[in-house]
Amino acid sequence: VTRERFLRDIYPRRKPVVLTGLELGTCTTKWTIDYLSQAEGSKEVKIHVSAVPQMDFLSKNFVYRTLPFDAFVRRAAEVKHKEYFLTEDEKYYLRSVGEDVRKDIADIRKQFPILAEDVHIPEYFEKEQFFSSVFRISSAGLQLWTHYDVMDNFLIQVTGRKRVVLYSPRDAPYLYLSGTKSEVLDVDNPDMEKYPLFVKAKRYECVLEAGDVLFIPALWFHNVISEEFGVALNVFWKHLPAESYDKTDTYGNKDLMAASRAIQILDRALKTLEELPEEYRDFYARRMVLRIQEKAYRNDYG
């Protein structure tokens, strides 16, 4: 898929698409366990360690630990560990971060400069739109929680295989959200007593082989399962004017400035409704919902 075809035929539709056959550089052949270990050596990396395959950001069922990069790569590639933090079959996950997590974005060129030379990032956006390039390594079997980001991104699967389950932004009411994350961890076997509406969310699914690139438009929910030990790179870019985004956002998942303001105003309105007796509060709350639907919902969803 050429840049021109992507921008003309795919991008305007705002739907996820798997792009194959892109020129990604030598990383697809070079990035063996031995090469990765040797290339970036023993510099320390902060990683997630989980005793269970399904990581839960809301209950924080994982711990953060620090390992030399070469030792981390070898451990993440193993199924059973001789050395471990929690259990012999624990899972590892690296999500690269900036030097100062509160101020700096992840950029493979800064955090992993030697590996960055092996990657050709598809530049399907203007240079000034670039936000971050997040280097990721996952143990086989690791599952990341369902979440959305506020920026468009490419998930570049360099080695290994991933399964990605996606949900449209319009299905947000059925995903039991807490902030940007869904409470439903097991998307394959959800607890229907606890999450009865989840069945209404339309599921999209794809398998990414090494060398595939998944375009994930902003606000699309995604749940990522590493079927094999694998290395990936996420590239995020700003598709809206720069001032739309929260300047303190280093992860690409803080709500847009106008959205944050709107939510604050809504919270104030709901607090005001508490001054009314219950039957009145219920009545005016329903009217407010209707007004929001009438004024702000799209009616052209395909």
Side-chain angles (χ1 to χ4, degrees):
V1 177
T2 62
R3 177 189 166 119
E4 291 70 33
R5 193 177 150 231
F6 176 77
L7 292 174
R8 187 188 69 226
D9 301 338
I10 297 170
Y11 198 47
R13 294 179 60 217
R14 313 296 301 153
K15 301 263 175 77
V17 174
V18 177
L19 309 173
T20 57
L22 268 56
E23 180 44 61
L24 301 175
T26 55
C27 55
T28 50
T29 50
K30 261 171 109 170
W31 284 7
T32 60
I33 294 160
D34 286 341
Y35 174 77
L36 289 167
S37 307
Q38 161 260 312
E40 294 286 351
S42 60
K43 73 161 165 212
E44 301 219 308
V45 286
K46 191 177 180 184
I47 53 171
H48 301 66
V49 183
S50 176
V52 293
Q54 269 163 356
M55 282 173 55
D56 180 359
F57 192 81
L58 298 170
S59 74
K60 296 281 196 297
N61 67 347
F62 52 84
V63 295
Y64 292 103
R65 291 290 181 267
T66 304
L67 275 176
F69 183 73
D70 49 4
F72 157 69
V73 170
R74 295 198 179 282
R75 278 212 212 174
E78 300 168 342
V79 178
K80 286 264 186 280
H81 312 293
K82 287 192 180 70
E83 294 178 62
Y84 51 85
F85 297 108
L86 306 170
T87 65
E88 63 173 7
D89 52 4
E90 65 194 15
K91 307 289 183 194
Y92 297 92
Y93 171 58
L94 167 71
R95 184 235 188 257
S96 65
V97 292
E99 284 66 32
D100 179 338
V101 183
R102 288 183 303 281
K103 294 196 200 121
D104 303 322
I105 50 108
D107 186 343
I108 190 174
R109 292 166 298 190
K110 291 180 183 161
Q111 286 99 41
F112 298 92
I114 296 163
L115 294 177
E117 288 178 15
D118 302 334
V119 187
H120 175 73
I121 291 172
E123 290 185 358
Y124 287 14
F125 48 88
E126 300 303 321
K127 279 206 171 12
E128 60 273 15
Q129 289 178 284
F130 171 83
F131 176 70
S132 66
S133 50
V134 181
F135 184 61
R136 300 181 192 268
I137 297 183
S138 306
S139 291
L142 185 86
Q143 182 168 10
L144 269 187
W145 52 86
T146 304
H147 68 283
Y148 71 87
D149 302 293
V150 297
M151 294 185 199
D152 291 344
N153 82 85
F154 279 150
L155 172 53
I156 301 167
Q157 191 62 26
V158 181
T159 70
R161 186 195 298 119
K162 272 200 177 90
R163 179 162 65 95
V164 186
V165 175
L166 301 115
Y167 301 96
S168 159
R170 70 176 308 189
D171 282 343
Y174 315 130
L175 297 179
Y176 297 87
L177 294 185
S178 176
T180 61
K181 299 158 185 75
S182 167
E183 291 177 19
V184 186
L185 286 186
D186 192 343
V187 292
D188 295 319
N189 298 292
D191 181 338
M192 295 318 290
E193 278 186 26
K194 201 171 175 188
Y195 308 115
L197 294 176
F198 185 71
V199 71
K200 291 187 171 189
K202 186 177 176 186
R203 173 192 178 110
Y204 298 83
E205 187 173 320
C206 64
V207 173
L208 299 181
E209 303 289 349
D212 288 348
V213 176
L214 173 62
F215 166 53
I216 307 176
L219 307 183
W220 272 78
F221 295 89
H222 43 289
N223 180 291
V224 181
I225 303 110
S226 295
E227 299 205 327
E228 301 169 341
F229 164 77
V231 184
L233 185 68
N234 263 122
V235 182
F236 292 87
W237 69 91
K238 301 174 179 180
H239 67 295
L240 300 175
E243 60 274 15
S244 308
Y245 300 95
D246 187 326
K247 286 187 173 49
T248 66
D249 186 5
T250 55
Y251 284 89
N253 61 8
K254 284 193 179 177
D255 289 316
L256 300 180
M257 299 297 284
S260 294
R261 287 199 305 275
I263 289 165
Q264 284 168 359
I265 294 164
L266 176 62
D267 285 341
R268 284 204 297 276
L270 292 169
K271 193 126 192 75
T272 309
L273 279 187
E274 286 174 19
E275 296 170 21
L276 295 170
E278 190 181 23
E279 64 182 301
Y280 285 82
R281 188 168 69 232
D282 178 274
F283 174 69
Y284 286 104
R286 287 171 194 273
R287 281 191 60 189
M288 284 167 71
V289 168
L290 288 171
R291 196 152 172 179
I292 289 171
Q293 287 178 329
E294 187 188 315
K295 295 277 187 191
Y297 274 28
R298 283 175 65 175
N299 52 17
D300 63 339
Y301 259 121

